[in-house]
Amino acid sequence: MLTVAGVVDAAGAALLKVVVPADEAEVRDVTVAELDDATTGQSGDLVLGAGIATPEQALTVVARCVETGAAGLVLKPPLAAHPDVTSAAARRRLTLVELQRHGSWAQLVWLLRGMIDRAVAPGSPETGEPGVYDELFALADATAAVVDAPVTIEDAQSRVLAYSSRQDRTDPARVSTIVGRRAPGNVIAHFRSRGVFRKLATGSELIFVPQGPDGTLPRLIIPIRAGGELLGSIWAVVEGPVPDGRLRDLQGTASVLALHLLRLRVQADVARRVSADRLRAALRAPGRMGREELALPAGPWRVVALGAHGGTGELVDNLALWESITRRHGWRQPLLADVGDVLFAVLVDEGASPGSRRWMERLIHDVAVQDPGLYAASGGVARNLADLPRSRAEAAELLALRGPVGQRGPVLRFEDQWAEVVVHRVVGAVPSVDLLVGGPLPDLVAHDREHGTDYVATIAAWLDQQGDPNRAARQLHVHPNTLRYRMRRLTEVVPVDLASPRTRLALQIQLAALGPAPAAPRPPA
């Protein structure tokens, strides 16, 4: 495990020193603080305060780092030693690190990125061999020597897999790509406007992009393909067109890289399956595996059932869709597993960072504006691993009830819908034919069928609206006098004591067993 203290020790006292020590936290990534962003980093990030200029800004970033569970914060003097900043970090138990005055943020990024990438490279048999990642970095250095320029190796989704240690020629696009481990949106838009991604998707030719007016240096882009499939690309920051001899050598390097990317993809698939199998087993029944083996963050948790329908209502590939959505919005390692026909996610119940309940609810509401086919149902809180199966069962039960209560939004929570769950359990425990054996409802059903009346829908609306004739009439799209007339007539057809609370409860259970009544037609305009 790579900790903040380990990072500082590895970098050396000439570059970094710990100003405020705190609990040892694992460093899983590095990110740059952005003041215009409501959140700063994610859990396990080492946050670099490259743009922090005042103590007030530093205090804001300290608070955001604590909220997201960042591993630590790096500042330059004098901010790193400012008494207000150090006391806030100590009070909130956030490790504060000082970058020496002569230290370069760009140099620190290269140093930390290489350190973290190698430290978090998969090492267990289930997830892959670390040698593959080491070889990619070595190949990046070799490619940089061939082309005489710094390079990055990216996958087909523009995520950075490795980069050369050479950094003598760079620009903001390269810096942001390596810091974020993928090309940011503005960089992708810059190269898309020049047709780079269209050429990558359709051909095997090397692509040269001249220097841009925004300070972006020239790029030489080499597709990495295997069997016609695009696996990734090499991006070199060059001074100008590259001689033909070097281009031929680069194409040979791309062929070697294709084999490594295929190995990585296979290992990633195996790792994903192993993780899903373990999580699936934990959702079915508590076992001997601990939280670390399941790759779960600290609890408590919630299990959420995730659903999606296509434009015509058919079920879509749920796992692929939700994995893509959650990764695209910042959840690096989504905890997803299907049990039976239902896809589940295990979320942290507290906080608002990616992978938390509030983050998921906000994500679904935002995405559902454009794609109303997405929906979710959340089970109750699981305070330990043994509670996960219960939370899963509650989420699945609530998802099955989404039809009758679907008008209440794309996200249902067990605490909000407990009444529907209770009624559903009562109705499900007894066959409907045994629930409809007495009382007025069977006679009203028969009367509606024989005479074309709407007495069942009328009494259902009256019960839903607690006897309020105006609201019940609006529910049925009729005049209140019409509703009062129907209520009078149905009590003449069958005697019923609607003043009795027990009678009203029994009728509501019978109506639930009967199933949803057809929607009342709107009167013609």
Side-chain angles (χ1 to χ4, degrees), residues 180-219:
R181 299 186 70 178
R182 68 172 299 148
N186 61 326
V187 174
I188 291 176
H190 169 81
F191 288 107
R192 178 176 287 121
S193 66
R194 286 153 177 79
V196 170
F197 295 103
R198 175 176 50 80
K199 294 175 183 176
L200 276 176
T202 58
S204 301
E205 297 300 319
L206 281 67
I207 306 165
F208 177 75
V209 182
Q211 180 170 350
D214 53 358
T216 303
L217 297 176
R219 290 293 196 280

Side-chain angles (χ1 to χ4, degrees), residues 30-358:
V30 59
T31 188
V32 175
E34 295 182 3
L35 292 173
D36 56 351
D37 194 350
T39 60
T40 298
Q42 299 182 33
S43 176
D45 280 1
L46 182 58
V47 178
L48 309 183
I52 309 304
T54 66
E56 291 75 21
Q57 292 175 344
L59 291 173
T60 299
V61 173
V62 167
R64 291 177 181 173
C65 287
V66 173
E67 290 174 0
T68 57
L73 172 64
V74 182
L75 294 173
K76 269 196 168 186
L79 290 179
H82 193 283
D84 292 343
V85 177
T86 55
S87 62
R91 187 172 62 253
R92 294 169 177 264
R93 302 199 61 78
L94 175 70
T95 301
L96 183 62
V97 178
E98 181 183 83
L99 173 64
Q100 301 295 348
R101 291 182 184 276
H102 64 271
S104 162
W105 288 111
Q107 291 175 344
L108 183 62
V109 167
W110 311 137
L111 177 65
L112 295 180
R113 174 57 60 211
M115 198 184 302
I116 293 169
D117 282 345
R118 286 169 173 82
V120 302
S124 67
E126 293 92 350
T127 55
E129 304 168 15
V132 178
Y133 289 87
D134 293 336
E135 291 165 10
L136 281 177
F137 279 95
L139 282 168
D141 285 334
T143 306
V146 170
V147 74
D148 191 27
V151 304
T152 56
I153 300 172
E154 303 181 11
D155 66 9
Q157 286 75 45
S158 299
R159 292 178 297 211
V160 176
L161 300 174
Y163 47 86
S164 63
S165 56
R166 175 175 174 173
Q167 305 298 341
D168 59 317
R169 190 181 308 125
T170 189
D171 57 14
R174 177 173 168 82
V175 173
S176 57
T177 296
I178 293 181
V179 170
R181 299 186 70 178
R182 68 172 299 148
N186 61 326
V187 174
I188 291 176
H190 169 81
F191 288 107
R192 178 176 287 121
S193 66
R194 286 153 177 79
V196 170
F197 295 103
R198 175 176 50 80
K199 294 175 183 176
L200 276 176
T202 58
S204 301
E205 297 300 319
L206 281 67
I207 306 165
F208 177 75
V209 182
Q211 180 170 350
D214 53 358
T216 303
L217 297 176
R219 290 293 196 280
L220 178 66
I221 303 136
I222 304 97
I224 304 174
R225 309 185 83 88
E229 180 184 359
L230 179 68
L231 300 176
S233 54
I234 304 169
W235 293 65
V237 184
V238 296
E239 292 181 338
V242 178
D244 291 342
R246 290 184 178 180
L247 292 180
R248 285 192 296 270
D249 292 340
L250 283 173
Q251 288 175 322
T253 304
S255 299
V256 176
L257 280 168
L259 298 176
H260 284 73
L261 296 190
L262 284 172
R263 276 180 67 193
L264 276 179
R265 188 168 67 177
V266 170
Q267 291 177 3
D269 288 343
V270 171
R272 195 156 40 240
R273 290 183 184 182
V274 170
S275 176
D277 287 344
R278 288 177 174 175
L279 189 60
R280 189 179 300 112
L283 291 176
R284 282 178 171 150
R288 297 178 181 176
M289 286 183 294
R291 179 173 67 83
E292 292 77 11
E293 291 178 90
L294 295 170
L296 286 178
W301 311 277
R302 277 182 193 264
V303 181
V304 177
L306 302 172
H309 282 85
T312 56
E314 76 278 4
L315 284 171
V316 299
D317 186 349
N318 227 3
L319 178 57
L321 175 66
W322 282 105
E323 189 171 69
S324 172
I325 291 173
T326 52
R327 284 183 185 277
R328 192 167 65 245
H329 288 82
W331 197 8
R332 296 194 194 103
Q333 295 180 321
L335 297 168
L336 304 174
D338 54 334
V339 179
D341 296 329
V342 182
L343 179 68
F344 296 96
V346 180
L347 306 172
V348 177
D349 187 51
E350 299 170 352
S353 59
S356 67
R357 174 185 58 82
R358 277 192 287 168

